[in-house]
Amino acid sequence: FLPHYNYLLQLKHYLDNLYLKDKVSTFEINNKEEVGIIRNVLKNGRLVVETEQGEKQFNMKEIKFLI
């Protein structure tokens, strides 16, 4: 119980401080500009982004934040 609880506390802290979480942002996905909203990071490290086509999951280097 305690290790799981600690994990949940760490995850909450991480998500509370995740840059651009829950904000509309522009990303490069498959060499195309797309608008999306970061919603979560999964335990396996995949980034969950809500796009116009629905929720998508990305590994590192599959998505880029555009300034």
Side-chain angles (χ1 to χ4, degrees):
F1 171 76
L2 193 55
H4 182 69
Y5 179 73
N6 285 338
Y7 165 76
L8 292 176
L9 283 178
Q10 289 176 347
L11 179 63
K12 181 183 179 338
H13 178 72
Y14 181 82
L15 292 175
D16 286 348
N17 291 287
L18 183 61
Y19 183 63
L20 296 177
K21 183 174 183 296
D22 298 323
K23 295 184 175 143
V24 176
S25 306
T26 305
F27 300 94
E28 181 181 310
I29 303 169
N30 296 325
N31 297 317
K32 295 180 188 169
E33 242 182 66
E34 282 194 50
V35 174
I37 303 170
I38 297 173
R39 293 298 187 192
N40 199 6
V41 176
L42 303 178
K43 199 170 187 176
N44 62 9
R46 291 174 65 93
L47 187 68
V48 179
V49 178
E50 182 182 332
T51 69
E52 292 176 354
Q53 294 80 31
E55 239 180 40
K56 296 181 182 179
Q57 298 178 14
F58 300 94
N59 286 314
M60 296 244 314
K61 298 187 180 183
E62 291 182 337
I63 185 170
K64 294 179 187 177
F65 168 66
L66 298 177
I67 298 175

